[in-house]
Each structure stands twice: as structure tokens, then as C-alpha cells.
Amino acid sequence: MGAYRAVARPLFFALPPEGAHRVAGALLRLPLPWRSIGGAVDDATLRTDLAGIPLRNPVGLAAGFDKSCRFLPALGELGFGYLVAGTVTRSPRSGNPKPRIVRRAKSESMVNAMGLPNRGAEYAANRLGRMCRTAPVLISLADEDVDDVASNHRLLEPLADGVELNASCPNVSWGRDRDNEEHLRRLLDALGERRSKPLFVKLPPYRTDQEREAILALAAIAQEGGVDGLSCFNTLPVSEPGLATGSGGLSGRDLYQHTLAGVAEVARATGGDLPINACGGISSGEDALACLDAGARTLQIYTALIYEGPRIVRRMTEDMIRSRRSARVVQAPGPA
């Protein structure tokens, strides 16, 4: 058991989830030796390309951890191949009523009903414009109104390496109760030719055959609309009586098998023509390689960082290299 699991995690988990996150954010803003604390393996076999964005490794940080771009430099130094900041809305938001996060420690999962709290697009732009870049950054955008998303895009796209459209958040009413297909079409039409950086669409997960068809329809709309990739998937809507809202989005290990099967399904449906960022329950190098084999180009983690700590990217990249080397040894021909 590492130092984080033995010492730091029990201290963090003694706090309410949002309190623990505030402490983590305060630490990440300190000038600590984050590169040594994290330290992903730098190996040529891990390098990849995401819609023209060169990455040192395929392990990305999913949206939601740094909602207002306040501690991205330290997160990059932990070794992530890229970071998804936000989700950012045009105006500041306080989010849903508390409590709005519940840990499911036995399965290393969480349920959140945050409701996209963030300091707004102007604040995010100020942070992105001044920060020291330690890894490529995608900015996650969302809003009820298409014009607000377009405004955010105009402001923030020049300051990021790419944009991820959060068109499927289960913790706000428009992510659940509207025609997502028509909304996505309107979003892509509004962004139109003004796009100059890669654009990704984050899809919702599915459980039933009917939901599967709806998600594949969204993937087809995104592909026809000329997006540069898909992030599969957002959190899974579940009931949770411990939340003030009574329900939220599930993340963590409970999602992994859904993610793996869904990535393969979306890759088949899109003909392998769109890069896929696998997201949901991934927490090891083995998980990562399985998602890459299923058709993903990269993967995104969040809940694994909470449960495994700041060396998660180091462990994942070490495991990926070790597994690939072992596979080459097994596949090597024996003596004639």
C-alpha cells in the first residue's frame, strides 16, 4: 500500500468530499515539486496524437476536477498527457444545493450532482491567459443557450489547445430533459466555420438498447458535423438518496465495463474515423490498454485520481509500458 492510500487518503476521506477537494486544490496551488510527486514515465512508446495535438502519453484528466482553471500547471506536472478544464459556463454558477457528492468507497466510485459550479468564462479566460502551460489543455464548455456556448467558444478557444462540448451533463435539467440530438445540431451549426482548434463532443453513457441507439445517433450527428473526436462517456445518471437532489452522475470503477463495451461500439459505428477519448472507471494501465485496444485514442480519468492519489499517472504509464514489453516478448518467435 502506498503512502497516499495509507496516510493521505484516510485524512482526505475524513473530510466531506467537497472539503477534501478544496484542500487538494489549495495544495495544488502551492509551489511543491509536483513533477517528482507524480512523475509519469516519459517513453516514446506512450506518445500519441489527438486530432493534431501531440501528447506525451494518452492519460488525460477528465473535466470537473479543475472547474475554473485554477491549478492546471500542477496537474500537468503530475504527468497527465493532457488536461480537460471546466466545465465552464458563460456566467458564474453556484451549482446545485448541498450535499452534492457521495463516495462509494467499496467500489471506488462516486455520485455527484454538482450542477456545473464554476466562476464563469471571463474568469477562466483570465486564468488560461496567465498560466504556465505544463500540458495541452482542452476546455469543456456547456450552457442552456446555444448563443452562450458560442460566446464561450469565441472567448476561450484561442486560449486552449481544443474544446470539449459537454452536451450531456446529467446534473442539469437541459442535460436530461431536452432533445439532445437537435441541441447538438444547433451547437455545431452555431460554431460552424469559426472553429480553428480541435472540437470534441462528450457523449452520455447508455444501459438499454434504446439508449444505445440514441447515443449512436448523437455520435453520427457529431461525425456529420465535422467534429474532431468524441469523449465516451459522461457520468451515468443514478438515484442517490444521500444527495440533496436525490440523484446524480455515477463515476468510478462501477462504470468501467460500460465504458469498455461502449467505446468498442462507438468505434465500430463511426468506422474508426474519429479519435475516441475513453472516460469512465479507468484506473490502471491494464484498463487503459484495454480501452485503447477497443478503439480509443486516449483515456480520461478523474475518480481514480481521488482514490489512487497523485502518482496514478506514473503507475498507469509504468503498467502500460510493462504490459506492452511483456506482449512483445510473448509474440517474439522462438528459435528455428
Side-chain angles (χ1 to χ4, degrees):
M1 179 183 292
Y4 178 81
R5 277 181 169 266
V7 179
R9 194 173 82 178
L11 294 175
F12 277 116
F13 279 32
L15 299 171
E18 289 196 59
H21 192 84
R22 284 193 295 272
V23 171
L27 291 173
L28 286 164
R29 290 194 294 276
L30 296 177
L32 298 178
W34 296 112
R35 193 176 301 277
S36 298
I37 292 170
V41 177
D42 184 10
D43 189 281
T45 63
L46 294 174
R47 293 172 195 155
T48 189
D49 175 280
L50 178 60
I53 305 169
L55 308 179
R56 61 192 172 201
N57 67 63
V59 184
L61 177 67
F65 191 88
D66 190 354
K67 297 175 177 62
S68 296
C69 310
R70 302 179 69 201
F71 31 88
L72 294 174
L75 291 166
E77 289 189 342
L78 289 181
F80 285 100
Y82 67 102
L83 308 165
V84 185
T87 295
V88 176
T89 55
R90 186 172 187 177
S91 300
R93 294 188 183 213
S94 59
N96 288 328
K98 299 177 182 180
R100 50 193 185 182
I101 304 177
V102 170
R103 300 182 184 110
R104 294 184 177 180
K106 288 185 178 179
S107 62
E108 298 197 347
S109 300
M110 301 174 69
V111 183
N112 91 85
M114 296 297 290
L116 303 181
N118 72 99
R119 300 191 179 197
E122 291 287 349
Y123 182 91
N126 182 266
R127 298 294 301 184
L128 288 171
R130 293 190 295 114
M131 78 176 198
C132 174
R133 191 68 60 90
T134 57
V137 173
L138 307 183
I139 187 75
S140 173
L141 303 180
D143 248 308
E144 288 89 344
D145 190 86
V146 171
D147 288 341
D148 286 337
V149 177
S151 174
N152 291 352
H153 187 272
R154 285 193 298 270
L155 176 64
L156 294 170
E157 189 208 41
L159 302 171
D161 295 283
V163 173
E164 183 179 85
L165 284 181
N166 183 355
S168 56
C169 178
N171 293 322
V172 288
S173 60
W174 49 260
R176 304 183 303 267
D177 306 329
R178 69 178 172 201
D179 184 343
N180 279 331
E181 293 182 26
E182 180 57 30
H183 183 72
L184 181 57
R185 284 194 184 93
R186 291 178 61 214
L187 282 173
L188 296 178
D189 287 346
L191 299 184
E193 297 301 319
R194 69 166 55 98
R195 289 158 36 193
S196 62
K197 304 280 183 69
L199 179 68
F200 305 87
V201 170
K202 192 165 191 177
L203 298 175
Y206 62 86
R207 285 169 288 200
T208 67
D209 288 343
Q210 183 177 6
E211 290 174 344
R212 170 184 168 277
E213 293 306 313
I215 278 27
L216 294 182
L218 285 174
I221 291 168
Q223 188 170 27
E224 292 163 5
V227 304
D228 299 283
L230 301 169
S231 295
C232 302
F233 299 95
N234 218 316
T235 56
L236 183 71
V238 295
S239 297
E240 175 48 68
L243 298 173
T245 57
S247 62
L250 176 68
S251 64
R253 290 296 298 170
D254 285 339
L255 285 187
Y256 174 65
Q257 292 301 326
H258 291 281
T259 300
L260 186 61
V263 164
E265 188 72 43
V266 172
R268 283 193 295 270
T270 56
D273 294 332
L274 285 179
I276 293 174
N277 309 311
C279 184
I282 300 162
S283 63
S284 69
E286 181 181 1
D287 295 344
L289 289 174
C291 287
L292 297 178
D293 289 343
R297 178 69 57 83
T298 78
L299 51 120
Q300 297 176 4
I301 65 172
Y302 178 163
T303 306
L305 177 61
I306 304 299
Y307 281 98
E308 298 294 330
R311 291 201 172 188
I312 179 65
V313 185
R314 176 187 291 188
R315 286 194 291 273
M316 290 181 69
T317 51
E318 288 175 343
D319 289 348
M320 293 170 73
I321 292 172
R322 189 179 304 113
S323 295
R324 284 174 168 171
R325 286 174 178 166
S326 297
R328 285 199 295 269
V329 170
V330 170
Q331 293 170 5

